Amino acid sequence: MVLYSGDVGQLSQMIDSHSRIFVLVDGNTINFCLPLFFEKTRISNFTLIEIPSGENCKNLDTVQKIWSQLVENHADRNSLLINLGGGVVSDMGGFAASCYQRGIGFINVPTTLLSMVDAAVGGKTGVDFQGLKNQIGLFSNPLAVYVDTDFLLTLPVREQKSGLAEMIKYGFISDKSFFDVQLPVSQEFVKRAIDAKEKITQKDPNEAGLRKVLNFGHTVGHAIETYLLDSQNYMLHGEAVAIGIIPALWLSEKYCGLDTKWAGFYKTLYKDKFDYFNLKDLNLNALIEIMRHDKKNADGKIRFVLVSEPEKPHYDIVVEECDIIESLNYLVDFLGDESSFGK
Ligand code: GLY
């Protein structure tokens, strides 16, 4: 169930029906979002659990710390965990809650654009493991997702652009009007993106088929994000998706007959809305190796979501390694000239 700012009374009622309330925050949301959350919900009787911020902490050690705090504070089966934060907080909090005493309720309160339109919705929870993103996890739905775009007022522009990429992705997989989204994003567009995601996840909650289309741009995007995970040059998830769409379009031309005008269209859109990244030193073979480990692949073959035209996605397209390399070179060429960005 997705609740919006006008439904805050319903949210408060849902919270109050639990025996103990825990609020999970990270080093950012404790300062920038918790005061607004109090102001909106007026909850007072709860235990705060703070974890460090960032993808580097999205691991089983942090989950153990959450479980320890739940035990130490006598959380029972009727306790509630409220995940106040971005995708890392909702993924990890959802996972911790779903395993604790075989499952307690949790509510996601996404505070970034990316988590509003993607991570907090649809029931994916989990942590990174052995350098692989979201390798350990469960499908488990929150009792509710509370979406309030007031949280975006404190969000850095880089984070907003990251969320924007996941919205523009819908332009290719389900509704071309998402190509028109601008920052700052209106609540109306956020709601439309959530509706678009729910329409897909409700048909295929466990990603047996259709849900895979949500991964358009993610095969290469995820690999680049993982490759840079521990580097100074790290990339936000949406930034990696925005970049990953470029090779996906090249492959879409080759495998699905996509008209070449769409790659041109997207490259112009990319330069208008997103940032330059220096990917000249990418080790392409290392990227391919990461793609092989992608959960969406099987039997050593690398599968992509591609489009034959916008709004017509195709999943599980097996792509030859030589074509992936060529599409990556196409990406590196596109990013080659820094001076043509930001114009
Ligand atoms: N982020 C893609 C999905 O939820 O399936």
Side-chain angles (χ1 to χ4, degrees):
M1 175 196 307
V2 181
L3 301 173
Y4 292 90
S5 47
D7 307 317
V8 73
Q10 204 179 332
L11 175 73
S12 298
Q13 255 183 5
M14 189 182 280
I15 294 172
D16 288 344
S17 67
H18 290 84
S19 54
R20 281 175 200 277
I21 298 155
F22 294 83
V23 180
L24 182 67
V25 289
D26 68 16
N28 290 321
T29 57
I30 192 169
N31 295 317
F32 298 116
C33 304
L34 193 58
L36 184 62
F37 183 64
F38 287 152
E39 197 186 300
K40 300 266 175 173
T41 58
R42 311 222 166 267
I43 69 164
S44 52
N45 206 359
F46 64 91
T47 304
L48 201 60
I49 303 179
E50 186 184 346
I51 54 175
S53 57
E55 185 80 28
N56 286 343
C57 303
K58 189 178 171 186
N59 53 42
L60 289 171
D61 287 345
T62 309
V63 170
Q64 277 203 45
K65 288 183 185 132
I66 299 171
W67 284 330
S68 299
Q69 297 232 25
L70 292 173
V71 171
E72 282 158 25
N73 290 284
H74 313 289
D76 60 18
R77 293 290 286 277
N78 191 33
S79 296
L80 175 73
L81 183 65
I82 300 174
N83 300 317
L84 180 69
V88 172
V89 170
S90 59
D91 277 12
M92 228 175 349
F95 178 69
S98 304
C99 298
Y100 183 80
Q101 295 190 356
R102 300 201 177 90
I104 60 172
F106 65 99
I107 292 176
N108 289 337
V109 183
T111 57
T112 64
L113 181 58
L114 185 117
S115 58
M116 285 179 193
V117 298
D118 190 32
V121 180
K124 281 189 177 174
T125 74
V127 292
D128 301 340
F129 188 66
Q130 296 194 353
L132 298 169
K133 279 179 60 65
N134 304 322
Q135 194 68 5
I136 308 291
L138 304 165
F139 286 102
S140 178
N141 269 299
L143 298 175
V145 182
Y146 174 67
V147 176
D148 188 333
T149 45
D150 282 355
F151 285 115
L152 301 180
L153 298 173
T154 58
L155 195 66
V157 174
R158 188 171 172 195
E159 292 276 355
Q160 293 191 41
K161 288 184 179 179
S162 174
L164 187 69
E166 286 283 3
M167 297 179 81
I168 285 173
K169 171 192 82 178
Y170 287 107
F172 285 108
I173 62 170
S174 64
D175 179 353
K176 274 191 279 198
S177 70
F178 280 98
F179 291 140
D180 299 329
V181 189
Q182 304 281 351
L183 291 182
V185 173
S186 65
Q187 165 144 330
E188 170 55 26
F189 250 127
V190 169
K191 186 170 183 318
R192 281 178 52 196
I194 293 170
D195 290 347
K197 176 161 186 182
E198 284 203 301
K199 212 166 137 193
I200 293 168
T201 57
Q202 280 165 2
K203 284 191 194 138
D204 178 22
N206 293 348
E207 204 168 280
L210 177 68
R211 185 173 179 157
K212 293 178 187 179
V213 303
L214 293 172
N215 295 316
F216 181 66
H218 283 57
T219 308
V220 170
H222 241 155
I224 295 178
E225 188 186 1
T226 304
Y227 180 83
L228 297 176
L229 206 55
D230 294 322
S231 84
Q232 299 286 12
N233 201 12
Y234 76 97
M235 231 184 238
L236 297 176
H237 177 71
E239 290 173 332
V241 170
I243 282 197
I245 287 176
I246 294 166
L249 291 175
W250 188 91
L251 292 167
S252 293
E253 288 172 16
K254 174 142 193 181
Y255 283 73
C256 298
L258 177 70
D259 192 310
T260 52
K261 75 177 180 193
W262 288 107
F265 164 82
Y266 182 72
K267 287 197 288 188
T268 305
L269 181 153
Y270 184 99
K271 286 188 177 182
D272 179 43
K273 297 193 186 319
F274 301 112
D275 296 318
Y276 170 79
F277 285 94
N278 182 348
L279 296 182
K280 290 191 183 94
D281 297 331
L282 269 191
N283 177 338
L284 303 191
N285 290 322
L287 284 191
I288 300 268
E289 211 37 52
I290 297 171
M291 287 179 218
R292 276 192 214 295
H293 280 97
D294 195 313
K295 295 180 292 304
K296 293 177 287 302
N297 294 317
D299 53 40
K301 300 204 164 73
I302 301 178
R303 291 172 163 76
F304 275 72
V305 178
L306 300 175
V307 291
S308 48
E309 57 183 277
E311 305 178 3
K312 288 220 168 66
H314 308 272
Y315 54 85
D316 280 345
I317 308 281
V318 174
V319 172
E320 296 298 326
E321 205 175 297
C322 56
D323 290 329
I324 302 177
I325 297 275
E326 230 178 298
S327 76
L328 291 172
N329 281 323
Y330 174 79
L331 168 65
V332 172
D333 279 354
F334 167 67
L335 291 170
D337 179 13
E338 181 175 3
S339 64
S340 67
F341 283 77
K343 301 266 173 227

